[in-house]
Amino acid sequence: MKNIRNFCIIAHIDHGKSTLADRLLEYTNTIQVTEGQMLDDMDLERERGITIKSHAIQMEYIYKGEKYVLNLIDTPGHVDFSYEVSRSIAACEGALLIVDATQGVQAQTISNLYMAIEHDLEIIPVINKCDMASAMPDEVEDEIVELLGCRRDEIIRASGKTGMGVEEILQAVIERIPHPEGDEEAPLQALIFDSVFNSFRGIIAYFKIENGIIRQGDKVKFFNTGKEYDADEIGVLKMDMIPRKELRTGDVGYIISGIKTSREVKVGDTITHIARPCSEAIAGFEEVKPMVFAGVYPIEAEDFEDLRSSLEKLQLNDASLTFQPESSLALGFGFRCGFLGLLHMEIVQERLDREFDMNVITTVPNVSYRIFDKQGGMKEVHNPGGMPDPTLIDHIEEPYIAASIITTTDYIGPIMTLCLGKRGELVKQEYISGNRVELHYKMPLGEIVIDFYDKLKSISKGYASFDYHPCGFRPSKLIKLDILLNGEPVDALSTLTHVDNAYELGRRMCEKLKELIPRQQFEIAIQAAIGAKIIARETIKAVRKDVTAKCYGGDVSRKRKLLEKQKRGKKRMKQIGNVEVPQKAFLAVLKLD
C-alpha cells in the first residue's frame, strides 16, 4: 500500500490538463499516445475540446529502484461539471493544480482548489504551457503563492506539449502525496465513484477501496441499497479493463457483477462483504443539487418508455442528472429533468441523440421556485405549469447565487452593466494581482440560466471567468407569462419572469413566434398574457386562395357572395384547426437576444 498514489488533476477549462495527462501516460509507458487527449474518449469531448467525464487510469513508475502504482483521475474544468470533480476528489489523496502560464489563476481554479483543501488533499501547483511565447510564469507564480501560501520552489514549471517538467511532476507525486491510509484486516469498505452501462455485461461500477481486500468470486453487497451480488470480475483500469484476482486497500478498480437495473447502483454507495459487512457506509461526496430544470419530451409519443430507459442508462454515467415523469398538453408525456447548468443540458441532449438515438424536444429551461400561499404553506415548483392560482399566492421566493467573476480591469464597466441588467447586487470587488480583479455578486439564478455565460465571454473577449454557488432563496416579484395560440395556452412556452421584464419579454416572444410558426389555412392569433390580461399580440395571416378569379364582369354581389362563403369556411376551420409549434420555435425562444 505504501507504493500506491491516488491523485487527480484540477484546473480551469482549457488550461491543458488532458494534454498533460497524455504526457504522464506516455512517460510511464502506460500507452502509446496516438492522438491528442487519449482520456477524452467521447466524440463530444473531442469535438468541443472539453472534458465531460472524469477518467481514471493506472500508471506504473519506477523511482529510485522501487515500483510505484499511480492512479490518475483527469477531471472536467467547466463549472457545470464541478460535481464530477467532487467525486474524483473523494477518491484521491492529492491533486495537481494546473494553471495556464498565459492566463493565470481563473475562477474555476479557485473553487476546485477550495474543494480539494476541504478534503485535506496535498496540492502540487504546476504552471503549464511554459513553452509559449506569451507565457508569464513569474507573474503567475506570484498569483499561486498568494493563493496557496506555498514556497516558490514548490511550484513546477511544465509544458504538456513539449513534455517539459513531466519527470518532476511524477517525482513530486511520489514524494509529496501521502499513500492511502486503511486497514487490510478490517471488513471491506469500497466507495463507488462512477459507473457505466455495457450492453453485454450489465453495469460496471468503479470504486476505490478504503479498507479490506476484495477477491474475484466474493459475495458482496451494496450498503445503501442492500442488494447482494457475486463479484464475477474485478480488475484495474488502464486504457482497457485489466482483470485481477484480488484488489487491496488503496487500489482503484472496477467490478462487474451482472447488475441489470440501473436503480441498484448509486454513485457514492459503499461495497462490502456479505459474510463480514462493515458497520457504516463511507461518507461520500455531497448530494448533487440540480440548478436548471427543463422538460424533455419524445417527438413520437410511443418512444416514451425508450426515453425512460435511455435516461436511466445515462444517469449511471452522469449521476448529476435527475428526472421525473410529467405531462404537457402540447407535448404529451415526457420527463422534467434537472441539470447543473445550460452546458450540461446541451451535453445531455446531444448524448441522448448520439448514444441512444433518441430525438427529443426540450422546453424552456427554468429554475425551482418556492411558492408560499396565504395559509403559510410552501410548495416547490419546477415548472410554471404547476403554479397555483395567483389569488392564492402570498409571495414567491427564487433561488439566489453568490457569483465570483475574475477579469482584467479593462472589462469591469461592461461586466458591471451586464450584472446590473440581470438584477445583480455587487457585494465587493478585490484586486488579486496587477490588473486582475475579482467581483463578487449576488444574483437570481433564473437570470443567468439562459445566456449570461455566453454574454460574459463575448463582453470580455473570453478573458473573464465565472464561478458560482447557491446561497439560498429570497422573496421576489415574479409573475407567470403565458403564450396563447388562438386563445389556447401553450404550456411548454409559459415562463416565470420578473414584473419589470414581463412586457418586454412577452412582446419579443410574440414577434419571434410570428416569424417561426408556418402560415395555415386560417388566421392565427399569438398573444402573451399575464393572468387574464393580454399584454402583446401578433397575427399570422391566413394563406388564401383567390376565389374571385373565375368572376369576370357581372355584379359585385357575385364576388361578395364567394368571399363571404370563404370567410365562413375559414371561421369553421379556425374552430377545429390546431397549430403545431415547430421545435425550432422552442429553441429560438431560449435564445431571444
Side-chain angles (χ1 to χ4, degrees):
M1 190 163 65
K2 70 180 204 311
N3 285 10
I4 295 177
R5 299 287 181 273
N6 297 325
F7 67 102
C8 59
I9 299 185
I10 55 178
H12 190 80
I13 186 167
D14 257 356
H15 279 203
K17 49 196 169 309
S18 300
T19 313
L20 200 67
D22 280 355
R23 292 294 86 71
L24 292 170
L25 295 179
E26 219 171 33
Y27 202 86
T28 54
N29 294 325
T30 308
I31 49 165
Q32 286 291 305
V33 176
T34 48
E35 51 186 322
Q37 277 87 21
M38 294 296 284
L39 292 179
D40 293 353
D41 49 7
M42 260 195 271
D43 295 343
L44 254 171
E45 292 182 313
R46 294 251 168 100
E47 275 169 34
R48 293 179 173 231
I50 54 177
T51 307
I52 295 169
K53 291 290 303 160
S54 299
H55 297 274
I57 189 161
Q58 192 178 80
M59 309 182 283
E60 286 166 5
Y61 184 60
I62 292 166
Y63 178 64
K64 293 187 177 164
E66 279 193 71
K67 186 170 136 190
Y68 287 86
V69 171
L70 310 178
N71 290 312
L72 157 73
I73 302 182
D74 177 27
T75 63
H78 196 282
V79 60
D80 280 10
F81 303 111
S82 53
Y83 177 66
E84 287 280 333
V85 183
S86 85
R87 304 199 317 206
S88 311
I89 286 175
C92 291
E93 281 83 36
L96 293 182
L97 176 76
I98 292 183
V99 181
D100 186 332
T102 60
Q103 294 181 39
V105 173
Q106 307 248 297
Q108 193 59 34
T109 319
I110 297 177
S111 74
N112 286 344
L113 174 70
Y114 289 154
M115 218 189 296
I117 291 173
E118 271 168 36
H119 282 78
D120 290 334
L121 298 199
E122 178 63 39
I123 310 285
I124 299 176
V126 177
I127 299 181
N128 194 18
K129 306 194 187 177
C130 282
D131 59 317
M132 285 179 73
S134 55
M136 331 168 275
D138 298 333
E139 287 94 324
V140 176
E141 239 174 47
D142 294 340
E143 287 179 24
I144 293 178
V145 168
E146 207 167 299
L147 184 67
L148 277 175
C150 61
R151 296 196 315 277
R152 279 181 174 275
D153 56 354
E154 291 176 15
I155 302 172
I156 299 170
R157 295 190 180 186
S159 160
K161 196 192 254 174
T162 61
M164 151 190 166
V166 170
E167 199 165 340
E168 291 167 52
I169 292 174
L170 288 167
Q171 287 171 9
V173 166
I174 290 167
E175 284 171 5
R176 295 192 216 167
I177 293 178
H179 61 77
E181 300 291 329
D183 180 4
E184 292 201 345
E185 303 305 313
L188 174 70
Q189 262 187 320
L191 173 75
I192 299 178
F193 65 87
D194 203 358
S195 55
V196 291
F197 180 80
N198 181 315
S199 43
F200 303 107
R201 316 207 53 180
I203 291 156
I204 304 168
Y206 298 159
F207 60 84
K208 178 205 177 187
I209 303 179
E210 299 281 342
N211 293 306
I213 296 176
I214 184 170
R215 294 184 177 84
Q216 190 178 347
D218 280 356
K219 301 247 185 281
V220 295
K221 76 168 183 181
F222 288 10
F223 202 88
N224 290 339
T225 54
K227 302 276 191 199
E228 304 185 350
Y229 305 102
D230 293 340
D232 296 336
E233 183 184 306
I234 56 171
V236 295
L237 298 155
K238 297 235 171 145
M239 267 329 260
D240 301 312
M241 295 185 242
I242 296 174
R244 293 272 191 271
K245 287 283 180 245
E246 68 170 24
L247 294 174
R248 296 173 166 271
T249 305
D251 280 334
V252 173
Y254 69 91
I255 177 168
I256 299 178
S257 46
I259 308 170
K260 295 285 185 294
T261 48
S262 40
R263 286 188 207 85
E264 295 175 19
V265 180
K266 289 266 187 298
V267 168
D269 202 350
T270 303
I271 304 176
T272 186
H273 282 126
I274 295 176
R276 233 181 108 203
C278 56
S279 53
E280 57 182 37
I282 304 166
F285 16 82
E286 72 264 30
E287 263 299 295
V288 54
K289 288 240 178 347
M291 294 287 212
V292 176
F293 295 88
V296 173
Y297 293 87
I299 286 177
E300 300 295 331
E302 59 265 24
D303 292 344
F304 176 71
E305 280 307 321
D306 295 347
L307 181 61
R308 183 198 295 272
S309 69
S310 304
L311 281 168
E312 278 177 0
K313 287 171 191 169
L314 195 55
Q315 196 178 29
L316 277 178
N317 197 243
D318 182 354
S320 48
L321 172 68
T322 58
F323 62 92
Q324 69 218 37
E326 70 162 6
S327 64
S328 134
L329 293 172
L331 300 168
F333 289 102
F335 295 93
R336 167 90 358 198
C337 297
F339 306 99
L340 294 182
L342 272 197
L343 177 71
H344 185 212
M345 174 174 135
E346 218 177 294
I347 295 292
V348 167
Q349 211 177 332
E350 280 274 298
R351 287 183 69 181
L352 280 173
D353 182 29
R354 293 180 183 207
E355 295 172 29
F356 304 100
D357 210 16
M358 292 299 311
N359 268 337
V360 293
I361 291 180
T362 315
T363 62
V364 182
N366 50 12
V367 295
S368 59
Y369 296 95
R370 288 181 179 171
I371 295 179
F372 292 82
D373 56 26
K374 303 232 163 109
Q375 282 75 41
M378 189 272 287
K379 86 178 230 195
E380 266 208 5
V381 172
H382 300 317
N383 183 355
M387 288 248 314
D389 192 282
T391 52
L392 306 174
I393 298 173
D394 181 49
H395 67 279
I396 303 178
E397 290 189 352
E398 63 173 338
Y400 263 69
I401 56 164
S404 81
I405 299 168
I406 295 183
T407 171
T408 51
T409 44
D410 317 349
Y411 306 113
I412 292 183
I415 287 174
M416 283 185 164
T417 315
L418 172 69
C419 294
L420 288 173
K422 299 283 187 188
R423 297 191 282 135
E425 301 161 19
L426 182 64
V427 182
K428 63 175 179 188
Q429 70 179 57
E430 47 193 16
Y431 284 81
I432 307 173
S433 68
N435 67 340
R436 291 161 66 84
V437 189
E438 185 169 8
L439 303 170
H440 293 268
Y441 270 93
K442 286 234 161 68
M443 302 169 80
L445 180 64
E447 290 282 339
I448 68 156
V449 162
I450 292 186
D451 56 0
F452 178 78
Y453 193 66
D454 302 342
K455 280 190 172 168
L456 179 72
K457 281 293 183 206
S458 57
I459 284 177
S460 65
K461 302 193 170 61
Y463 276 113
S465 57
F466 170 69
D467 183 49
Y468 63 87
H469 56 265
C471 66
F473 283 75
R474 287 198 200 174
S476 184
K477 284 177 138 172
L478 296 167
I479 44 177
K480 182 180 170 194
L481 180 69
D482 284 315
I483 298 290
L484 313 173
L485 290 182
N486 279 346
E488 290 291 318
V490 182
D491 53 355
L493 287 173
S494 57
T495 51
L496 269 177
T497 179
H498 196 262
V499 171
D500 303 345
N501 306 344
Y503 282 81
E504 173 67 12
L505 182 69
R507 204 188 73 241
R508 294 210 327 257
M509 279 172 94
C510 289
E511 285 168 4
K512 197 76 191 167
L513 287 169
K514 183 181 180 181
E515 291 168 23
L516 292 164
I517 293 177
R519 288 172 69 180
Q520 306 284 349
Q521 294 280 324
F522 50 91
E523 193 175 86
I524 305 170
I526 305 170
Q527 293 162 310
I530 298 171
K533 181 180 172 192
I534 304 291
I535 58 168
R537 167 176 174 139
E538 293 284 338
T539 310
I540 300 177
K541 291 276 177 259
V543 182
R544 300 180 63 156
K545 180 180 166 194
D546 185 2
V547 286
T548 57
K550 60 184 184 219
C551 285
Y552 47 92
D555 192 47
V556 73
S557 58
R558 291 174 61 196
K559 283 187 180 179
R560 280 258 54 89
K561 186 177 145 195
L562 287 168
L563 287 168
E564 285 300 320
K565 189 176 169 189
Q566 184 187 33
K567 204 165 161 188
R568 286 197 303 276
K570 295 278 179 210
K571 191 174 170 188
R572 201 164 57 242
M573 227 181 218
K574 187 172 180 172
Q575 285 165 355
I576 58 164
N578 62 348
V579 185
E580 288 286 312
V581 182
Q583 164 75 13
K584 65 171 188 272
F586 286 114
L587 294 175
V589 171
L590 308 189
K591 303 190 170 77
L592 261 179
D593 290 345

